[in-house]
Amino acid sequence: NVKGHEVPTSFTLLKQKSAPAPPVVPSSTDGVRLVAIDEYKQAAACLAEAFAEDDVARYFIDVPDREHWTDQQKWDLHVEIMEYITYAHILKGLAITVGDFEAVALW
Protein backbone atom coordinates (compact mmCIF):
# COMPACT_ATOMS: atom_id res chain seq x y z
CA ASN A 1 0.00 0.00 0.00
CA VAL A 2 1.68 3.23 -1.19
CA LYS A 3 0.99 6.42 0.73
CA GLY A 4 1.75 10.02 -0.16
CA HIS A 5 4.94 10.39 -2.17
CA GLU A 6 6.37 6.96 -1.39
CA VAL A 7 7.76 5.08 -4.34
CA PRO A 8 7.50 1.30 -4.49
CA THR A 9 10.95 -0.33 -4.37
CA SER A 10 10.05 -3.56 -6.10
CA PHE A 11 7.66 -4.93 -8.66
CA THR A 12 6.61 -8.27 -10.08
CA LEU A 13 6.85 -9.19 -13.74
CA LEU A 14 3.91 -11.18 -15.01
CA LYS A 15 4.21 -13.43 -18.02
CA GLN A 16 2.14 -12.09 -20.87
CA LYS A 17 -0.20 -14.40 -22.74
CA SER A 18 0.76 -15.14 -26.33
CA ALA A 19 -1.28 -13.21 -28.83
CA PRO A 20 -3.36 -15.22 -31.28
CA ALA A 21 -1.98 -15.35 -34.80
CA PRO A 22 -3.25 -12.48 -36.96
CA PRO A 23 -5.62 -13.39 -39.77
CA VAL A 24 -4.00 -14.13 -43.10
CA VAL A 25 -4.92 -11.43 -45.57
CA PRO A 26 -3.96 -11.80 -49.21
CA SER A 27 -1.55 -9.16 -50.41
CA SER A 28 -3.05 -6.60 -52.72
CA THR A 29 -2.01 -3.26 -54.12
CA ASP A 30 -5.63 -2.11 -54.19
CA GLY A 31 -7.43 -0.79 -51.15
CA VAL A 32 -6.69 -1.03 -47.45
CA ARG A 33 -4.86 -4.07 -46.12
CA LEU A 34 -2.91 -5.25 -43.08
CA VAL A 35 0.84 -4.73 -43.09
CA ALA A 36 2.62 -8.10 -42.98
CA ILE A 37 5.48 -8.59 -40.53
CA ASP A 38 8.01 -8.81 -43.37
CA GLU A 39 6.81 -5.41 -44.66
CA TYR A 40 7.57 -3.40 -41.53
CA LYS A 41 10.53 -1.58 -43.10
CA GLN A 42 8.47 -0.36 -46.08
CA ALA A 43 5.68 0.82 -43.76
CA ALA A 44 8.21 2.51 -41.47
CA ALA A 45 9.83 4.26 -44.43
CA CYS A 46 6.43 5.73 -45.36
CA LEU A 47 5.96 6.97 -41.79
CA ALA A 48 9.51 8.31 -41.56
CA GLU A 49 8.92 10.42 -44.67
CA ALA A 50 5.53 11.59 -43.42
CA PHE A 51 6.94 12.67 -40.05
CA ALA A 52 10.37 13.82 -41.23
CA GLU A 53 9.92 17.33 -39.85
CA ASP A 54 7.38 16.63 -37.11
CA ASP A 55 8.54 18.11 -33.79
CA VAL A 56 7.02 15.30 -31.74
CA ALA A 57 8.49 12.51 -33.88
CA ARG A 58 11.91 14.18 -33.72
CA TYR A 59 11.75 14.86 -29.98
CA PHE A 60 14.42 12.24 -29.19
CA ILE A 61 16.60 13.19 -32.16
CA ASP A 62 16.93 16.96 -32.12
CA VAL A 63 18.48 17.19 -28.66
CA PRO A 64 21.66 18.89 -27.42
CA ASP A 65 23.61 15.65 -26.93
CA ARG A 66 23.19 14.84 -30.64
CA GLU A 67 24.21 18.26 -31.99
CA HIS A 68 27.46 16.74 -33.29
CA TRP A 69 25.60 14.07 -35.28
CA THR A 70 25.36 14.42 -39.04
CA ASP A 71 22.00 14.85 -40.74
CA GLN A 72 22.36 11.28 -42.05
CA GLN A 73 22.92 9.89 -38.55
CA LYS A 74 19.86 11.73 -37.27
CA TRP A 75 17.80 10.48 -40.21
CA ASP A 76 18.95 6.90 -39.62
CA LEU A 77 17.86 7.13 -35.97
CA HIS A 78 14.48 8.59 -37.01
CA VAL A 79 13.95 5.67 -39.42
CA GLU A 80 15.02 3.13 -36.80
CA ILE A 81 12.57 4.55 -34.27
CA MET A 82 9.77 4.31 -36.86
CA GLU A 83 10.78 0.70 -37.59
CA TYR A 84 10.53 -0.26 -33.91
CA ILE A 85 7.18 1.47 -33.54
CA THR A 86 5.80 -0.12 -36.71
CA TYR A 87 7.02 -3.61 -35.77
CA ALA A 88 5.46 -3.30 -32.32
CA HIS A 89 2.11 -2.29 -33.82
CA ILE A 90 2.18 -5.23 -36.22
CA LEU A 91 2.76 -7.58 -33.27
CA LYS A 92 0.44 -6.06 -30.66
CA GLY A 93 -1.75 -3.53 -32.42
CA LEU A 94 -2.96 -2.82 -35.89
CA ALA A 95 -0.89 -1.66 -38.85
CA ILE A 96 -2.65 -1.00 -42.15
CA THR A 97 -1.59 0.43 -45.46
CA VAL A 98 -3.18 1.61 -48.65
CA GLY A 99 -1.89 0.19 -51.89
CA ASP A 100 1.86 -0.05 -52.05
CA PHE A 101 2.54 1.98 -48.87
CA GLU A 102 1.02 5.22 -50.17
CA ALA A 103 -0.28 5.66 -46.61
CA VAL A 104 0.22 3.79 -43.33
CA ALA A 105 -1.84 3.89 -40.15
CA LEU A 106 -0.88 2.41 -36.79
CA TRP A 107 -3.43 1.69 -34.08
Side-chain angles (χ1 to χ4, degrees), residues 22-102:
V24 176
V25 177
S27 183
S28 169
T29 56
D30 298 329
V32 176
R33 64 180 179 84
L34 291 176
V35 176
I37 196 74
D38 63 333
E39 297 177 313
Y40 79 97
K41 285 189 179 266
Q42 297 100 305
C46 174
L47 292 170
E49 286 291 331
F51 292 96
E53 297 184 25
D54 182 81
D55 291 335
V56 174
R58 296 190 55 94
Y59 182 80
F60 298 107
I61 299 164
D62 297 327
V63 293
D65 65 332
R66 290 191 179 82
E67 285 178 352
H68 65 283
W69 282 27
T70 65
D71 288 341
Q72 185 61 52
Q73 288 174 310
K74 290 179 181 182
W75 175 254
D76 292 345
L77 178 57
H78 175 65
V79 170
E80 189 173 354
I81 290 169
M82 291 298 169
E83 288 177 354
Y84 281 113
I85 292 169
T86 302
Y87 199 88
H89 278 81
I90 293 170
L91 293 178
K92 295 287 186 176
L94 177 63
I96 56 175
T97 186
V98 175
D100 191 24
F101 303 101
E102 281 89 30

